[in-house]
Amino acid sequence: MIKNLSYEKKALYVFIIVNILVWSGLGLIRSVLPTDALECIYWGGLHDFGTPKHPPLCGWITYTVYSIFKTDFSIYLMSQLFVLAGIWYIYKLAQIFLDENKAILATIMMEGCWAYNYITGYYGFNPDVILLCILPIMTYIFYQCITNNKTSDWIKLGIIVGIAFLNKYQTVLILSAMFLWALIFKREVFKQKTFYISVLIAFLIFLPHLIWLFKYDFFPLLYFESEMYDKSLLAHFIQSGVFLIMQIAAIAGILVLFGILLVKQKTPIKININWNKESAFLIIFGLLPLVIHLLMGLIGGGNMRPRWGFEFLFLTSIMLFYFIPTKELSKDDFRCILKFTYSIMLIIFISMGTLLSVEKNYRSRYPVEIVYKDLNTKWTEATGKPLKYLGGYIEWTLPLTVYSKDHPQIILDTNNYKNIWINEEDLKKSGILVIDRTIEGLERYVHKSCPYLDENYEIKPIEYKFTVQNAYNMPREYTVYYHIVEPEKD
């Protein structure tokens, strides 16, 4: 069967396998998982229908996988499997708008987008990785719904939309694209029973989290509000400008690859946009979510994280091939772009691998076993009780609780909202060890972790030093401070 495949189809399958192996393996250079992945593991362990930042899906998945396999590699591999699913549905979308060989090449060229290569080694696994998978699937199923109008497709759409909303609220942006396209080209959709069946299914899947949000006054949205709000009017324009520049930078590899193809074929750049259902579909789904992000930045200002837009770049290479005509691909053209694609992969892999190898950063080289043993010993000597709670900045506490055998609970940042996962009475009886990089930060986190403490409570910072070593055993010393809030006596 493999022998009957075309050269281009074989190249696609080989690319997928290489992509999984390369980017899953990159993360193993680290000695600890990225903070985002550690957060998800901890959130999943709460067994709740919400987290301080996002809906619960990512936490549930990450915690389950890590609990079963108990290795960092399982998280990196899972991340790449999600990316692979997204890539496969990009290919299925490309088949709709392009001929087969261009569809394959457009899919492979997505390697030129940051989100489809470095993200696993840098972020491990988080809701953004799930979006890389879900958004192309949602878009493809929606296209099938409006094209074939099968009840089964509408049911699938309802299921995937519901699941997507259990992952991240940004799902609403792709729904905005669906709504706008249908409003312009297929208004009869809103009169169909199958459409409302789809909406009902999505709502029922999301309902447990919605009930949870009402129960706790929608406090996870405070995280988004805290990221967006900024009093400076100039910041609104600066953040939006930076966001736009970073989106262009993220697809720079794709633009380079497409440019090389045009030069090789000696094809002039000629943009061909004929407004019809197909072109409008690509424009609306490819650009509307990014435009909404830019408007959010202009209105809200604040910290517009560039990665919020990366997941919505999945139609980039398809749009390039669709709107900028190229000649029919020869095997030589295909091989040329394939070689340059692997060159980009190699350059990014070497750059990222070198960075992760030489850096002496606690985020990737935290000596968890040593630090936890030392701090736990100090705690036991001072209190005579087991260490049950940790407080402080999560980048210091998360690795300790995920990797240590005791798994002490941590005080999560709930944006000044009451921490619903901590029983204050138990906290008083058990006490807490608080860690931070600075004395000022330590004092702040002590009072934030233990709101029951008197304002005049005396905090006694204790200095603690530990050494981080990179892959070449080059050391860097870190100094942190900790304070023991002793258990209240009966």
Side-chain angles (χ1 to χ4, degrees):
M1 186 176 180
I2 295 177
K3 291 181 180 179
N4 297 329
L5 294 175
S6 67
Y7 167 79
E8 291 80 8
K9 202 63 175 284
K10 289 178 182 176
L12 174 61
Y13 292 146
V14 170
F15 166 76
I16 287 172
I17 294 170
V18 172
N19 210 62
I20 290 175
L21 295 176
V22 167
W23 301 120
S24 297
L26 179 67
L28 295 178
I29 299 174
R30 311 173 64 108
S31 64
V32 293
L33 285 164
T35 302
D36 282 18
L38 293 174
E39 273 189 329
C40 290
I41 292 171
Y42 190 80
W43 290 341
L46 299 173
H47 306 296
D48 207 347
F49 281 96
T51 77
K53 296 181 182 178
H54 304 294
L57 179 66
C58 190
W60 290 347
I61 295 172
T62 319
Y63 175 78
T64 301
V65 170
Y66 196 75
S67 297
I68 293 172
F69 297 101
K70 295 180 173 58
T71 64
D72 291 358
F73 180 71
S74 65
I75 302 301
Y76 297 127
L77 179 60
M78 175 181 65
S79 178
Q80 270 305 301
L81 291 176
F82 272 79
V83 173
L84 162 62
I87 288 175
W88 186 252
Y89 273 87
I90 288 173
Y91 169 58
K92 291 175 76 70
L93 283 166
Q95 286 180 305
I96 295 171
F97 299 99
L98 307 172
D99 66 51
E100 180 65 10
N101 287 349
K102 287 183 179 179
I104 293 173
L105 192 58
T107 304
I108 292 174
M109 283 170 54
M110 287 304 294
E111 182 69 20
C113 177
W114 292 348
Y116 293 90
N117 47 60
Y118 87 109
I119 195 165
T120 296
Y122 198 76
Y123 294 120
F125 190 72
N126 64 12
D128 296 324
V129 174
I130 295 180
L131 278 184
L132 289 175
C133 167
I134 284 183
L135 294 181
I137 295 176
M138 284 176 60
T139 304
Y140 176 79
I141 295 176
F142 176 74
Y143 188 89
Q144 297 304 312
C145 288
I146 58 165
T147 302
N148 304 320
N149 198 29
K150 291 182 179 178
T151 301
S152 59
D153 287 331
W154 284 106
I155 291 173
K156 291 176 187 175
L157 183 63
I159 292 171
I160 196 68
V161 169
I163 292 172
F165 266 115
L166 281 181
N167 173 60
K168 202 171 184 183
Y169 306 123
Q170 269 181 297
T171 299
V172 72
L173 300 183
I174 209 73
L175 290 188
S176 300
M178 292 180 186
F179 177 80
L180 180 60
W181 190 92
L183 191 65
I184 297 173
F185 294 102
K186 199 119 180 172
R187 294 183 185 178
E188 61 267 26
V189 161
F190 302 112
K191 299 178 182 178
Q192 295 175 187
K193 181 173 66 174
T194 49
F195 168 77
Y196 292 100
I197 291 174
S198 183
V199 171
L200 178 61
I201 291 171
F203 176 76
L204 290 175
I205 292 173
F206 182 69
L207 183 58
H209 178 63
L210 183 62
I211 294 171
W212 184 90
L213 285 172
F214 273 104
K215 183 178 179 180
Y216 297 109
D217 300 325
F218 290 80
F219 86 82
L221 298 183
L222 295 175
Y223 166 71
F224 179 74
E225 182 184 14
S226 67
E227 290 289 315
M228 288 297 297
Y229 183 70
D230 195 295
K231 293 182 179 179
S232 168
L233 182 61
L234 180 61
H236 294 219
F237 291 94
I238 292 175
Q239 290 293 335
S240 295
V242 170
F243 179 85
L244 178 59
I245 291 170
M246 291 303 293
Q247 303 312 303
I248 296 172
I251 60 171
I254 299 175
L255 298 176
V256 168
L257 292 171
F258 192 76
I260 291 171
L261 177 62
L262 293 178
V263 170
K264 188 175 188 310
Q265 291 188 336
K266 298 179 180 179
T267 304
I269 298 177
K270 183 180 179 182
I271 299 175
N272 182 19
I273 299 180
N274 296 315
W275 185 256
N276 53 43
K277 290 183 178 181
E278 272 197 353
S279 62
F281 188 94
L282 290 174
I283 291 171
I284 291 173
F285 278 79
L287 298 180
L288 181 63
L290 297 175
V291 170
I292 294 174
H293 270 111
L294 288 171
L295 291 175
M296 286 163 54
L298 286 171
I299 295 170
N303 184 15
M304 282 292 291
R305 296 179 183 270
R307 70 176 183 177
W308 290 349
F310 293 166
E311 311 91 65
F312 295 94
L313 299 172
F314 63 95
L315 290 173
T316 300
S317 56
I318 298 175
M319 293 174 70
L320 286 173
F321 275 102
Y322 188 88
F323 292 116
I324 303 177
T326 61
K327 297 176 183 177
E328 184 176 344
L329 287 177
S330 67
K331 188 169 287 189
D332 190 49
D333 293 334
F334 194 96
R335 284 174 174 164
C336 175
I337 302 306
L338 190 62
K339 289 178 182 177
F340 277 102
T341 300
Y342 280 117
S343 297
I344 288 176
M345 179 188 292
L346 182 62
I347 290 169
I348 296 174
F349 178 78
I350 292 174
S351 301
M352 283 292 297
T354 301
L355 177 63
L356 290 172
S357 297
V358 302
E359 70 175 358
K360 295 169 280 188
N361 194 314
Y362 69 90
R363 290 186 178 91
S364 58
R365 297 273 164 188
Y366 202 160
V368 175
E369 187 175 341
I370 294 172
V371 173
Y372 184 76
K373 181 181 178 181
D374 290 345
L375 294 179
N376 191 41
T377 298
K378 297 293 184 184
W379 168 267
T380 305
E381 290 174 353
T383 67
K385 288 191 173 185
L387 178 58
K388 188 174 181 179
Y389 292 103
L390 285 172
Y393 188 44
I394 58 171
E395 290 191 349
W396 298 108
T397 59
L398 266 172
L400 299 179
T401 194
V402 170
Y403 288 107
S404 68
K405 62 179 181 179
D406 302 321
H407 304 300
Q409 290 180 261
I410 59 172
I411 305 296
L412 294 170
D413 184 1
T414 54
N415 296 287
N416 298 319
Y417 196 88
K418 183 179 179 181
N419 196 318
I420 60 175
W421 297 280
I422 298 294
N423 182 304
E424 191 170 292
E425 290 304 312
D426 186 60
L427 180 61
K428 290 178 182 179
K429 293 178 181 178
S430 302
I432 181 171
L433 188 148
V434 185
I435 318 163
D436 199 67
R437 184 83 180 268
T438 66
I439 294 176
E440 294 77 13
L442 178 72
E443 293 173 346
R444 183 173 64 252
Y445 276 114
V446 167
H447 286 288
K448 192 173 183 179
S449 302
C450 305
Y452 59 86
L453 293 175
D454 187 88
E455 290 183 4
N456 298 320
Y457 174 81
E458 184 180 4
I459 298 173
K460 300 177 181 178
I462 302 173
E463 185 179 272
Y464 172 67
K465 296 180 183 291
F466 64 90
T467 301
V468 170
Q469 292 184 323
N470 64 14
Y472 306 101
N473 295 322
M474 298 169 63
R476 175 183 177 183
E477 188 176 72
Y478 278 91
T479 299
V480 297
Y481 299 89
Y482 69 90
H483 172 75
I484 295 174
V485 180
E486 296 195 14
E488 288 188 352
K489 296 180 180 180
D490 297 330

